[in-house]
Amino acid sequence: MSGVRAAKSLLALREQEELEDLPNDYPLSTSEDEGDGGGERKHQKLLEAISSLDGKNRRKLAERSEASLKVSEFTVSSEGSGERLVLSDLLEPVKTSSSLATVKKQLNRVKSKKTVELPLNKEEVERIHREVAFNKTSQTLSKWDPIVQKNRQAEQLVFPLMKEQSAFAPIEHVLNGWKARTPLEQEIFNLLCKNKQPVTDPLLTPVEKASLKAMSLEEAKMRRAELQRARALQSYYEARARREKKIKSKKYHRVLKKGKAKKALQEFENLRKTNPAAALEELEKLEKARMMERMSLKHQNSGKWAKSKAIMAKYDLEARQAMQDQLARNKELTQKVQVASESEEEEGGEEEEGDLLVPDAVNEAHMTADGPNPWMVRNHSGDAKEAEIQKDPEQLPEPMANEASESEEEERPVAEEEILLKEFEERRSLRKKSGLNQDAKPVSRQETKADSSTQEVLSELRALSQKLNKDSHQCRKQNVGSARTVLSVQREEPAGEEEEPPLLQRPERAQTLEELEELSKEGCFQNEELPRPALEEQQLERNNQPSAPKKKTKEQMIDLQNILTTKSPSVKSLAVPTIEELEDEQEREQKQMIKEAFAGDDVIRDFLKEKREAVEASKPKDVDLTLPGWGEWGGVGLKPSAKKRRRFLIKAPEGPPRKDKNLPNVIINEKRNIQAAAHQVRVLPYPFTHHQQFERTIQTPIGSTWNTQRAFQKLTTPKVVTKPGHIIKPIKAEDVGYRSSSRSDLSVIQRNPKQLSIRHKKQLKKN
Amino acid sequence: VGRMETAPKPGRDIPPKKDKLPTKKKRPRRYWEEETTPTAAAASPGPSPNKKRNRELRPQKPKNTHIPKKSRVSKKPQIVKKPRERRDAEPPRSLSGAQDPFPGPAPVSVEVAQKFRRIDKSKKLPHSKSKTRSRLEVAEAEEEEISVKAARSELLLAEEPGFLEGEDGEDTAKIRQADIVEAVDIASAAKHFDLNLRQFGPYRLNYSQTGRHLAFGGRRGHVAALDWVTKKLMCEINVMEAVRDIRFLHSEALLAVAQNRWLHIYDNQGIELHCIRRCDRVTRLEFLPFHFLLATSSETGFLTYLDVSVGKIVAALNARAGRLDVMTQNPYNAVIHLGHSNGTVSLWSPAMKEPLAKILCHRGGVRAVAVDSTGTYMATSGLDHQLKTFDLRGTFQPLSARTLPQGAGHLAFSQRGLLAAGMGDVVNIWTGQGKASPPSLEKPYLTHRLSGHVHGLQFCPFEDVLGVGHSGGITSMLVPGAAEPNFDGLESNPYRSRKQRQEWEVKALLEKVPAELICLDPRALAEVDVISLEQAKKERIERLGYDPESKAPFQPKPKLKGRSSTASLVKRKRKVMDEEHRDKVRQSLEQQPQKQEKAAKPMGARPSALDRFVR
């Protein structure tokens, strides 16, 4: 029955569907006409029933569509229904059961999963793999860098690098071939045999060997056990540390800190009792911390953190507290550790002050040992030096007290620090002076410099006085005399100069180099022929000119006249050379003087001329590109215009200043010595970028002529030494202490693409 | 040794020098001696007043002149004392229980080590990369270590120079040769002698490199060579021609004689080996021992360099200054100094056709030139009767000058910087204050009158002896403190045997310095040829079309949101350029005062590779 009913209803459904599919205005078949009205209603109901299935009473507009080919066997088509059937709906039983909820959840999860994205194309993947592999490889290879660096910088490499262990030959083998030959040997041999000592073959008796072996095994076991224990302990410790590190409680940390401080103090007390030296060391550490603090000013509320806190301090009590803590710490750190000798009477107070201050036992030790306390050390050395200084008669006033009371000094070092420091300063300066006196060379050089400068000044003075009093001879003489007195004071000149007036008067005519040059430029050297007034005019002119620039040039230039006519004092020799014709000596001398004077004038002029020529010759030449006759009239006697010449003149760049620019009496050849340059280095070797750097490394001669034998050997050691007959193997990782070879690392990477770095993952995503 | 670079190498088959003037020598203080000697000496009995001078020279001289010297030396014991104190703190004991009284390496004073330093650290280097810096550090450390080693080995130079000191206010110049001879021991006294050779005119003389042999040639043809210490005559000939100059070549076995027409070379038996006709009318000879060059100056105005190791003329330079008869060499850099009649001294090297430098020294002609062994000072005398000393370190300026009554015709420097001048028939010797100081011409150290006019002067190397050739023969004077007391046994050993000499000859020939390396600054070899370097760089840039070492020009990064407009790009470029320019200006401003300082101070004495020319 029920089966028939179901079939009927299904049939009805089919009919409805068909009806629905048909257009409304489509003429229905006559056979179904009668059940038209009732069918309509039924269909409505069915629709409502279906739509109410998911609880939402929603009406969907029926879509018009073609008759579908995909008609299920139950004549139900999915199209047009507009409702989606969820899988879980189908699974839902009539009555809800809790056991299916999990399945539903799983289904939901599956549903929420996104689709798998397309894999990257092959090239890109390969590229990324390559890059990663490269990075990894270079990383593994960079392990070798220090070794390579070391070998490169080594002064000498001896190959083979690892010393081969000498072939182990047990002594028994060596002794096998040995026989007692000499009587003494035989005697000893006999003795050994008598006492049943192992002579040749086994050096150790078998029992001994066995015991040795056993020992070694035991040892090995013990060692292993120890190692295991250590490893376990370490892991425990690490775990604990990790755990403790994660604790964020401030209180906990505060308590911890306090406990630590207490413990340290306790330890120190103990140490002091048991081992004062170690305690002293601890103390030094404290002192060092203090010094560091003093140097760094770390806790003076000046850091970034402190500044930020300072802003907050107004409102935040905690911040204020932190700042104060820091300041307290600074104070504590910078507080000087009291030295007992200084404060023997303050001992009571010291105890009151408590933990941080130092017990006196420590201080005593400090006093006796030559500790690193700078003040103490200085005291000591100062004493030593004083003892030396005492010998000096000059140093009397200072050390009178110190000498008497060395012990006192040690008791009150702070009070005398300053005195000592002063003394050191003085002594240093004294030593410097004495050093200066000893090497007279620099001093003398300075003197000569000063001398030359004074000479210049004096020459100027003289020149001025001459200009002013040219005509009045007496006056001039006086003036010159006065100048000369200065001169004589300066140079301690004996009174031999008056004997040679012609020599002296020469320079007064052509006073300065400029004058001389000017005159010689005019072509004729008319110093003597020049009429007096004209000369005077010239000089007046020069006097009227602002003399500053002239003076400046003079300072730079060393006056040639001065050089050649320095009034050198004559030697008062004990043994005056005998001269043949003594009778007309005076006359002859005069004549020669005059002759020499005239010759000298020529000498100077010629030299200046020569120098000018040399300077001209060494100057780079201008290039004149003017072609006469182009763009203007040409012909004999016609010159191209100045404008044109200027236009086509290529000026040569001015070379570097000549070495003899300020040395009027010298011509230094500026030409390059090509033959010598051929021997010089002309290429900079690799790591050097500037020739001065390289020059510095080749300054020291390496020949045995200039060095001691040892130094010579050291300088000429070959960089690489190979031993003949030895195979030089490539360096191994095991030799330098590496376990894993680089290849295994690589293979790991390539097999595990998961190990891609973040960057590469990003890159992948982007692609 | 001043700046002599040769590291001291004593103790190698050198017999102890007994025949130095021991009386003039201060006994070296040993470490086991305490400083009690002066007081003990002061207690010794005073001598009679009439023997004052002689007492001066006695070895046990017990006077107060000594005491300041001691006090000057007293720095030494202080240095020694320090390690002793250290030893007291922790006495290292050996197995035998014996203690090393001087543990650790011997102390080296900084000044001595400074003498052997070559790197001038005051010079600023351009910024260097780390790799370069490490190389530089290695070089500097090496140099320091080596200098310390050299300084330490200087401890082995046991001999000390002699000296002559007057009692307070006494002038040493008044001490006559006879007094000195009377005071010194017999061996030293034997070094003072006169050879009376009036027949063959004024003599020129020359000592060999080792100072053992003496050759002299009279103007009338008399040529002789002898071992002057033992007075053993090697040869004596008459060349039947005027002899202008005579000189030993690298060893005492060869002798160059400048005769009237040509240059002749004889061996030590007087056999003529060569007649060099390309060197004619030679007036003066100089031998450069490290280059094996014989320099000859001729009447015709040519300076000729003859390489005696291969017998070739290296260079013949025309000085264009007429007759050349004043010549000397600078032992420091092997440059030849020629004096001319126009008052100039010109400096020559065989590599250059023109003089390296010309110095105007005198108003009259130059009569004599001498250069001291460190190449620092040059002494000249001219027709204007002046004697001047010049500084040769770059500036060529006169340091001191003095007018002599008759002018000096001959000048000579000793190894330790004493200056001797021959004026007529008188020889004056001046000495400097310190070791490396120029001779102060204030008052002479010694004077001596000869029997004839001076014609040749030379200090004997390694002996406190001055040889004077004059018209009456040869005089060998004693000059305490003239010579270097310690000799290098491998370089110039006065006691060498024939075998040793041959050995040395081979080595010296192997180490021969090429002639073209002679220049004013012998350290130039340790410099890079900057001009060629730059030329090569320029060529490379031309070849490549760009400068591979130059920094890439600044290229502004493109920016978004319209900020990458042309104007802003240009602006940014401009900014960077200006910043660079500012940097440059700043740098140049910083350098300016440095430059001025540099210009102000004179060139310091730099130790040099060719310091070994120092004899």
Side-chain angles (χ1 to χ4, degrees):
Chain A
M1 272 297 286
S2 63
V4 176
R5 230 173 29 189
K8 263 188 187 171
S9 71
L10 275 173
L11 263 175
L13 260 174
R14 193 181 147 209
E15 276 176 8
Q16 277 171 14
E17 289 291 325
E18 276 177 72
L19 277 175
E20 210 179 44
D21 284 347
L22 288 173
N24 281 341
D25 50 352
Y26 196 77
L28 293 166
S29 62
T30 50
S31 60
E32 288 171 343
D33 261 351
E34 13 126 29
D36 206 2
E40 275 280 334
R41 230 178 302 126
K42 269 179 197 168
H43 177 66
Q44 277 298 329
K45 266 182 190 166
L46 183 74
L47 278 180
E48 275 169 12
I50 288 168
S51 64
S52 66
L53 264 178
D54 64 341
K56 287 175 220 157
N57 201 358
R58 207 171 38 160
R59 281 202 68 172
K60 274 246 162 182
L61 276 175
E63 278 177 46
R64 279 185 61 188
S65 62
E66 297 294 320
S68 169
L69 284 174
K70 290 187 235 164
V71 176
S72 69
E73 48 184 322
F74 311 114
T75 67
V76 178
S77 100
S78 64
E79 277 171 1
S81 73
E83 282 304 315
R84 267 199 169 178
L85 208 63
V86 187
L87 195 57
S88 59
D89 292 345
L90 294 181
L91 281 172
E92 210 163 24
V94 183
K95 52 170 184 170
T96 51
S97 79
S98 60
S99 63
L100 282 174
T102 49
V103 182
K104 202 176 172 186
K105 220 184 239 174
Q106 278 173 0
L107 274 171
N108 269 335
R109 204 182 297 154
V110 168
K111 195 177 59 184
S112 70
K113 274 255 165 88
K114 277 170 195 164
T115 50
V116 177
E117 276 177 44
L118 267 177
L120 286 177
N121 54 1
K122 202 176 158 197
E123 286 89 44
E124 274 172 345
V125 171
E126 270 179 354
R127 198 203 304 146
I128 289 160
H129 278 300
R130 273 201 307 273
E131 201 169 319
V132 174
F134 171 76
N135 282 343
K136 211 72 185 173
T137 320
S138 54
Q139 208 180 330
T140 50
L141 283 182
S142 70
K143 280 198 292 192
W144 292 91
D145 284 354
I147 296 144
V148 172
Q149 191 79 355
K150 203 183 86 194
N151 280 354
R152 273 189 195 153
Q153 286 177 352
E155 282 182 9
Q156 191 179 36
L157 283 178
V158 181
F159 287 113
L161 271 179
M162 287 302 290
K163 266 184 197 162
E164 263 193 27
Q165 287 184 346
S166 55
F168 177 69
I171 199 154
E172 302 92 73
H173 292 277
V174 178
L175 286 178
N176 262 344
W178 181 79
K179 267 173 196 167
R181 278 190 207 108
T182 60
L184 179 70
E185 280 172 357
Q186 276 163 0
E187 206 171 305
I188 292 169
F189 195 75
N190 284 338
L191 256 177
L192 288 174
C193 279
K194 263 182 206 166
N195 295 341
K196 289 176 185 170
Q197 291 288 328
V199 181
T200 51
D201 202 31
L203 257 188
L204 298 170
T205 54
V207 186
E208 278 172 342
K209 266 189 179 172
S211 72
L212 266 179
K213 257 186 191 171
M215 274 282 273
S216 69
L217 184 66
E218 257 172 37
E219 242 172 37
K221 272 181 180 169
M222 262 169 62
R223 196 169 152 61
R224 202 182 61 176
E226 229 166 63
L227 275 175
Q228 277 173 343
R229 192 166 164 267
R231 226 173 291 139
L233 276 178
Q234 195 184 355
S235 70
Y236 295 156
Y237 181 76
E238 274 171 6
R240 196 177 149 212
R242 227 171 281 138
R243 206 177 56 239
E244 277 178 357
K245 202 179 151 195
K246 274 186 186 167
I247 298 174
K248 281 178 182 159
S249 156
K250 274 185 183 168
K251 194 176 178 187
Y252 165 78
H253 280 291
R254 214 174 292 145
V255 169
L256 194 71
K257 215 188 269 173
K258 236 177 217 172
K260 262 186 194 167
K262 212 174 253 175
K263 206 175 164 193
L265 209 66
Q266 194 108 36
E267 266 176 13
F268 182 74
E269 285 294 310
N270 285 340
L271 205 62
R272 197 196 94 199
K273 273 167 198 161
T274 53
N275 188 3
L280 192 68
E281 256 172 41
E282 285 289 308
L283 203 68
E284 273 161 23
K285 267 182 206 162
L286 272 180
E287 178 71 11
K288 204 163 198 181
R290 186 183 71 87
M291 283 196 281
M292 294 289 282
E293 171 61 22
R294 276 182 68 103
M295 279 190 293
S296 65
L297 303 177
K298 205 172 173 185
H299 298 95
Q300 278 209 331
N301 282 353
S302 55
K304 212 174 185 180
W305 175 85
K307 273 174 191 163
S308 71
K309 282 285 171 199
I311 295 164
M312 290 295 293
K314 224 176 193 176
Y315 316 103
D316 194 355
L317 204 100
E318 222 167 287
R320 211 177 300 163
Q321 186 64 37
M323 273 181 68
Q324 274 166 2
D325 280 355
Q326 209 198 14
L327 276 180
R329 179 147 178 73
N330 173 43
K331 209 170 184 184
E332 177 189 299
L333 275 171
T334 49
Q335 192 171 32
K336 196 183 168 196
V337 180
Q338 298 295 311
V339 183
S341 57
E342 184 194 14
S343 57
E344 267 170 333
E345 60 278 332
E346 292 169 15
E347 251 181 16
E350 199 179 82
E351 239 124 65
E352 276 172 25
E353 274 178 15
D355 322 325
L356 268 172
L357 290 189
V358 194
D360 37 17
V362 173
N363 276 322
E364 275 156 28
H366 202 140
M367 265 172 60
T368 49
D370 216 353
N373 186 342
W375 308 110
M376 300 297 285
V377 173
R378 274 208 194 167
N379 255 346
H380 277 290
S381 62
D383 290 342
K385 274 185 185 169
E386 256 161 40
E388 290 165 12
I389 292 281
Q390 287 304 317
K391 288 168 196 163
D392 255 9
E394 300 168 8
Q395 284 271 325
L396 272 176
E398 270 290 11
M400 26 132 208
N402 303 333
E403 189 190 22
S405 58
E406 269 190 313
S407 56
E408 274 175 35
E409 237 174 71
E410 275 187 24
E411 279 168 11
R412 305 180 285 106
V414 184
E416 300 204 346
E417 267 165 28
E418 280 149 21
I419 302 171
L420 276 174
L421 277 173
K422 263 184 202 168
E423 273 177 35
F424 284 136
E425 284 296 318
E426 279 170 14
R427 261 171 239 160
R428 207 170 298 148
S429 64
L430 259 176
R431 231 172 290 143
K432 267 182 195 167
K433 270 181 203 166
S434 65
L436 273 176
N437 286 337
Q438 269 186 5
D439 51 348
K441 201 172 115 186
V443 171
S444 68
R445 208 182 295 162
Q446 278 175 357
E447 274 174 11
T448 53
K449 210 190 280 174
D451 219 9
S452 68
S453 69
T454 51
Q455 276 180 24
E456 278 170 27
V457 171
L458 283 170
S459 71
E460 268 181 41
L461 232 169
R462 212 189 316 154
L464 277 172
S465 65
Q466 284 153 13
K467 280 166 195 165
L468 285 172
N469 314 312
K470 193 84 183 177
D471 24 15
S472 58
H473 195 68
Q474 266 82 7
C475 237
R476 172 178 155 265
K477 266 234 162 163
Q478 270 180 3
N479 244 326
V480 173
S482 68
R484 272 184 204 158
T485 50
V486 180
L487 201 83
S488 64
V489 167
Q490 289 281 347
R491 283 202 251 136
E492 296 164 0
E493 185 186 350
E497 47 172 292
E498 269 84 5
E499 292 156 20
E500 32 186 21
L503 256 178
L504 281 177
Q505 279 173 11
R506 284 308 310 157
E508 287 152 14
R509 287 192 199 138
Q511 270 121 7
T512 58
L513 194 75
E514 295 116 278
E515 219 172 321
L516 231 171
E517 273 183 331
E518 210 170 285
L519 287 171
S520 49
K521 264 176 202 161
E522 283 170 15
C524 51
F525 192 72
Q526 35 175 252
N527 214 355
E528 273 114 318
E529 290 82 41
L530 211 67
R532 256 268 146 101
L535 198 93
E536 272 175 12
E537 260 176 34
Q538 257 189 7
Q539 278 159 357
L540 273 173
E541 222 176 76
R542 240 169 248 151
N543 272 343
N544 291 338
Q545 277 169 5
S547 56
K550 197 175 154 194
K551 269 186 185 171
K552 204 177 168 189
T553 54
K554 240 184 202 169
E555 271 164 22
Q556 282 174 359
M557 202 76 167
I558 300 160
D559 200 337
L560 183 55
Q561 293 286 339
N562 267 338
I563 284 167
L564 283 178
T565 57
T566 41
K567 269 162 275 154
S568 51
S570 61
V571 169
K572 279 177 274 175
S573 179
L574 287 168
V576 179
T578 47
I579 295 160
E580 300 84 48
E581 322 110 290
L582 281 163
E583 56 274 8
D584 55 349
E585 195 190 72
Q586 291 289 334
E587 199 180 325
R588 203 175 59 93
E589 209 173 270
Q590 281 292 340
K591 261 185 198 169
Q592 197 174 347
M593 286 263 180
I594 290 160
K595 209 176 97 189
E596 278 166 14
F598 274 105
D601 225 348
D602 273 334
V603 163
I604 293 171
R605 200 168 43 135
D606 289 349
F607 190 80
L608 284 175
K609 199 174 153 201
E610 198 178 339
K611 176 159 184 176
R612 215 170 24 249
E613 276 164 9
V615 170
E616 286 300 319
S618 76
K619 257 187 198 162
K621 303 275 181 304
D622 296 349
V623 184
D624 192 1
L625 294 176
T626 39
L627 288 174
W630 278 86
E632 56 194 5
W633 288 106
V636 185
L638 280 176
K639 275 187 188 169
S641 69
K643 191 180 152 199
K644 205 175 175 197
R645 254 184 290 151
R646 220 180 304 131
R647 189 157 169 242
F648 287 103
L649 190 76
I650 298 170
K651 281 214 168 163
E654 209 162 292
R658 283 179 67 90
K659 281 185 225 156
D660 53 8
K661 205 177 80 181
N662 294 330
L663 309 170
N665 67 328
V666 184
I667 306 171
I668 295 176
N669 197 346
E670 300 268 301
K671 269 185 193 155
R672 192 162 159 248
N673 187 349
I674 300 162
Q675 291 178 21
H679 291 269
Q680 285 178 332
V681 181
R682 52 179 64 200
V683 192
L684 271 186
Y686 157 58
F688 302 104
T689 49
H690 200 270
H691 65 91
Q692 281 173 353
Q693 294 164 350
F694 179 58
E695 274 166 16
R696 187 160 280 197
T697 60
I698 55 170
Q699 288 287 308
T700 40
I702 55 170
S704 62
T705 321
W706 301 276
N707 292 308
T708 57
Q709 186 62 26
R710 281 289 167 83
F712 169 65
Q713 279 169 352
K714 187 168 186 274
L715 284 169
T716 53
T717 44
K719 194 109 175 45
V720 174
V721 173
T722 53
K723 284 181 186 164
H726 287 259
I727 298 168
I728 301 170
K729 285 176 186 160
I731 198 164
K732 270 188 259 166
E734 287 82 45
D735 293 346
V736 273
Y738 294 135
R739 288 281 158 77
S740 59
S741 70
S742 53
R743 182 176 290 180
S744 66
D745 289 349
L746 268 185
S747 57
V748 167
I749 305 155
Q750 274 167 351
R751 249 173 271 145
N752 279 4
K754 266 186 191 173
Q755 283 187 343
L756 298 185
S757 64
I758 298 166
R759 196 168 73 85
H760 291 117
K761 276 179 188 160
K762 269 185 195 164
Q763 208 175 0
L764 275 173
K765 263 182 203 164
K766 225 166 68 179
N767 288 334
Chain B
V1 202
R3 298 183 301 143
M4 194 155 87
E5 279 209 26
T6 35
K9 277 174 288 184
R12 280 184 287 190
D13 55 48
I14 303 165
K17 279 195 84 174
K18 287 181 219 107
D19 42 356
K20 297 238 24 118
L21 298 179
T23 46
K24 313 291 159 6
K25 216 165 289 152
K26 200 157 46 106
R27 199 156 56 98
R29 250 175 58 80
R30 306 297 179 200
Y31 60 84
W32 58 80
E33 286 175 355
E34 289 308 309
E35 279 184 285
T36 52
T37 34
T39 52
S44 69
S48 57
N50 57 345
K51 279 209 161 191
K52 190 178 66 181
R53 274 179 216 148
N54 301 352
R55 164 174 55 93
E56 205 76 38
L57 305 162
R58 292 212 183 279
Q60 310 85 1
K61 62 178 178 177
K63 57 242 123 69
N64 37 14
T65 45
H66 228 131
I67 290 166
K69 283 223 161 192
K70 285 276 178 194
S71 67
R72 210 207 306 149
V73 187
S74 68
K75 264 188 188 169
K76 235 186 210 167
Q78 283 177 15
I79 296 164
V80 182
K81 252 180 199 169
K82 269 181 190 166
R84 270 190 204 162
E85 279 163 17
R86 214 187 306 139
R87 169 181 50 111
D88 292 340
E90 30 176 322
R93 288 194 165 272
S94 67
L95 264 182
S96 62
Q99 273 186 19
D100 183 6
F102 306 104
V108 175
S109 73
V110 183
E111 300 95 60
V112 181
Q114 193 61 38
K115 197 169 77 177
F116 294 100
R117 316 234 31 194
R118 271 89 175 200
I119 294 178
D120 185 12
K121 275 188 185 153
S122 60
K123 255 194 228 162
K124 268 281 208 175
L125 281 188
H127 178 74
S128 42
K129 290 182 290 186
S130 66
K131 207 173 260 180
T132 319
R133 220 176 302 133
S134 70
R135 288 277 285 268
L136 287 173
E137 275 161 12
V138 165
E140 273 162 17
E142 216 164 46
E143 184 240 8
E144 183 164 3
E145 192 191 337
I146 282 161
S147 67
V148 165
K149 271 181 182 157
R152 188 163 289 146
S153 70
E154 190 152 84
L155 193 98
L156 303 172
L157 301 177
E159 301 288 329
E160 288 190 19
F163 60 92
L164 187 64
E165 266 182 14
E167 223 173 34
D168 341 284
E170 197 200 8
D171 194 358
T172 49
K174 282 181 184 159
I175 299 173
R176 289 176 296 132
Q177 283 290 308
D179 298 334
I180 295 175
V181 167
E182 201 180 318
V184 298
D185 60 332
I186 301 171
S188 305
K191 287 172 190 165
H192 171 68
F193 59 87
D194 277 302
L195 298 182
N196 261 328
L197 308 162
R198 296 218 160 263
Q199 201 178 350
F200 294 109
Y203 277 89
R204 297 279 302 170
L205 83 171
N206 182 236
Y207 287 102
S208 65
Q209 300 285 317
T210 58
R212 191 63 194 253
H213 299 269
L214 171 67
F216 50 86
R219 190 186 282 155
R220 289 170 203 140
H222 178 209
V223 169
L226 72 158
D227 180 346
W228 69 271
V229 180
T230 58
K231 316 285 190 303
K232 200 183 120 200
L233 192 66
M234 279 168 14
C235 69
E236 187 171 21
I237 47 172
N238 198 320
V239 296
M240 307 305 286
E241 205 177 3
V243 170
R244 293 239 183 71
D245 201 358
I246 186 164
R247 198 133 299 239
F248 275 116
L249 297 189
H250 56 277
S251 75
E252 57 270 15
L254 289 172
L255 199 58
V257 179
Q259 292 177 16
N260 193 23
R261 286 201 70 183
W262 295 311
L263 175 70
H264 293 255
I265 289 178
Y266 299 89
D267 74 350
N268 56 358
Q269 321 216 317
I271 300 166
E272 184 184 319
L273 300 178
H274 304 287
C275 170
I276 297 152
R277 291 186 188 171
R278 283 192 63 191
C279 304
D280 60 333
R281 307 210 165 268
V282 174
T283 54
R284 285 284 178 270
L285 296 171
E286 275 294 338
F287 184 69
L288 311 175
F290 296 95
H291 303 78
F292 284 84
L293 289 181
L294 182 69
T296 62
S297 63
S298 69
E299 275 178 3
T300 53
F302 273 90
L303 171 65
T304 314
Y305 286 89
L306 174 70
D307 189 335
V308 297
S309 64
V310 291
K312 239 169 63 178
I313 284 183
V314 172
L317 313 168
N318 191 355
R320 294 201 195 83
R323 182 189 151 97
L324 304 172
D325 52 359
V326 180
M327 175 164 75
T328 191
Q329 65 163 306
N330 185 343
Y332 168 68
N333 53 13
V335 165
I336 292 287
H337 292 225
L338 293 176
H340 303 294
S341 58
N342 60 357
T344 58
V345 169
S346 54
L347 277 55
W348 293 85
S349 125
M352 300 282 276
K353 291 280 172 212
E354 287 127 39
L356 300 173
K358 253 187 185 184
I359 312 158
L360 181 56
C361 296
H362 292 278
R363 296 173 69 90
V366 178
R367 284 178 74 190
V369 182
V371 181
D372 86 323
S373 58
T374 60
T376 319
Y377 306 112
M378 174 176 75
T380 60
S381 79
L383 278 175
D384 55 357
H385 294 191
Q386 285 208 328
L387 174 62
K388 289 184 178 180
T389 54
F390 285 80
D391 189 354
L392 286 185
R393 292 166 295 186
T395 57
F396 305 104
Q397 292 308 306
L399 294 171
S400 59
R402 197 144 269 248
T403 308
L404 302 174
Q406 212 202 345
H410 297 272
L411 293 172
F413 266 107
S414 87
Q415 278 178 326
R416 277 170 55 76
L418 270 61
L419 175 63
M423 306 169 289
D425 57 351
V426 169
V427 172
N428 266 14
I429 297 159
W430 292 277
T431 176
Q433 267 91 25
K435 209 176 171 203
S437 63
S440 65
L441 305 177
E442 297 289 317
K443 69 180 188 187
Y445 175 58
L446 277 179
T447 51
H448 185 58
R449 189 186 292 277
L450 303 154
S451 55
H453 275 245
V454 178
H455 196 62
L457 268 182
Q458 199 193 351
F459 279 99
C460 179
F462 307 113
E463 295 283 359
D464 287 347
V465 161
L466 170 66
V468 186
H470 50 87
S471 51
I474 302 283
T475 300
S476 168
M477 277 174 67
L478 294 185
V479 184
E484 188 57 46
N486 298 291
F487 55 84
D488 185 346
L490 292 183
E491 199 61 49
S492 47
N493 184 356
Y495 305 102
R496 68 186 174 194
S497 61
R498 201 161 141 248
K499 208 77 198 157
Q500 279 173 328
R501 194 195 74 207
Q502 286 164 354
E503 193 102 329
W504 167 85
E505 220 165 346
V506 172
K507 273 188 187 145
L509 275 169
L510 286 175
E511 288 178 354
K512 190 179 110 171
V513 183
E516 60 260 31
L517 281 181
I518 296 174
C519 54
L520 274 182
D521 179 17
R523 288 198 73 84
L525 196 61
E527 279 162 14
V528 175
D529 185 6
V530 183
I531 295 172
S532 317
L533 190 74
E534 256 149 33
Q535 182 70 26
K537 198 175 163 192
K538 211 182 279 171
E539 274 167 16
R540 185 160 177 240
I541 289 169
E542 245 167 53
R543 204 172 53 237
L544 292 173
Y546 70 100
D547 185 3
E549 282 154 28
S550 75
K551 217 172 81 181
F554 173 72
Q555 206 62 43
K557 275 183 193 162
K559 287 196 175 171
L560 295 177
K561 290 189 185 170
R563 291 189 189 170
S564 204
S565 71
T566 319
S568 86
L569 282 185
V570 168
K571 223 182 268 172
R572 271 189 278 159
K573 260 188 196 176
R574 176 106 258 157
K575 248 188 204 169
V576 172
M577 232 160 71
D578 285 348
E579 189 53 45
E580 277 167 3
H581 183 70
R582 245 172 266 142
D583 275 349
K584 263 184 205 164
V585 170
R586 228 171 274 144
Q587 268 182 4
S588 72
L589 278 178
E590 277 168 16
Q591 275 170 2
Q592 258 178 4
Q594 286 174 5
K595 264 185 194 169
Q596 279 169 5
E597 275 174 31
K598 259 185 206 168
K601 67 178 176 190
M603 296 262 277
R606 271 157 61 213
S608 103
L610 290 195
D611 252 346
R612 63 171 178 169
F613 297 125
V614 172
R615 271 181 299 181

